[in-house]
Amino acid sequence: MAKGRVYLGGDSAGVGGYELTVRSDVKVFSNGPFLIGFTSSYRMGQLLQHAFSPPPPPRKPGALGRYMVVDFVDAVRAALKDKGWATKQSEQELGGTFLVGVAGHLFRLEADYQVGEARDGFDAVGCGSEAARGALFASWHLKPESRVRMALRAAERLSAGVRGPFRVVSG
């Protein structure tokens, strides 16, 4: 994040077991005022990009956290359930893991629909997330897009499930 902007980067790997496909569809995109970057499933990402209509974010200062936990998550749950992707395990609904950037904030949504915001101002998801977070931590002195690209390169170098080409979006 920088001056009220969020930067998200994604790789192009589709991984299942020992198989990897470098895909042409994207893992990071915008949906209205939201930037979304996903892991877990390309199907989930496709639904978030094409079948999810998030309610408009609040304008009232301090209301964004509650909005994300209640309104945004309810809309995500409905979209995933409606399109047959959400699952139930021991009577608990489960989705997938993804990042959401909006209004200068970066949120992480977990499979159980919990919403978190890292104090560090950066986060990463997926199989290369530890390497990416380490690179983001160590590159605080670089410009935001350079930090994200460095994090993606570190993840590609240190994780078998990360591959370029990389895509970076900001908003």
Side-chain angles (χ1 to χ4, degrees):
M1 292 186 302
K3 297 179 185 172
R5 292 185 71 80
V6 174
Y7 292 76
L8 284 183
D11 73 318
S12 298
V15 180
Y18 286 115
E19 292 192 27
L20 178 140
T21 302
V22 176
R23 295 184 56 145
S24 61
D25 44 346
V26 298
K27 290 183 183 178
V28 294
F29 51 86
S30 60
N31 182 333
F34 301 92
L35 298 179
I36 297 175
F38 68 90
T39 186
S40 304
S41 163
Y42 268 93
R43 176 64 177 155
M44 180 195 70
Q46 292 164 347
L47 293 174
L48 291 173
Q49 185 176 16
H50 301 293
F52 172 52
S53 297
R59 295 176 191 232
K60 182 179 174 186
L64 190 57
R66 182 190 184 289
Y67 161 84
M68 290 298 296
V69 169
V70 178
D71 302 322
F72 189 88
V73 165
D74 283 352
V76 167
R77 286 177 54 227
L80 296 181
K81 188 186 301 186
D82 181 54
K83 298 300 180 189
W85 195 83
T87 62
K88 256 190 165 177
Q89 184 177 6
S90 301
E91 296 306 308
Q92 179 183 16
E93 287 182 36
L94 298 172
T97 303
F98 57 98
L99 297 173
V100 178
V102 62
H105 293 265
L106 180 63
F107 297 96
R108 178 182 182 136
L109 278 80
E110 298 287 352
D112 65 355
Y113 298 108
Q114 70 168 289
V115 177
E117 184 174 16
R119 285 184 181 251
D120 291 324
F122 61 83
D123 208 342
V125 294
C127 59
S129 64
E130 289 181 4
R133 281 196 308 268
L136 289 165
F137 176 80
S139 63
W140 59 268
H141 58 287
L142 296 177
K143 291 184 178 181
E145 185 168 339
S146 296
R147 291 179 73 197
V148 171
R149 290 193 181 280
M150 179 182 284
L152 289 164
R153 287 193 312 273
E156 182 181 45
R157 176 68 179 207
L158 300 169
S159 173
V162 179
R163 291 293 182 279
F166 303 128
R167 174 182 165 91
V168 178
V169 297
S170 67

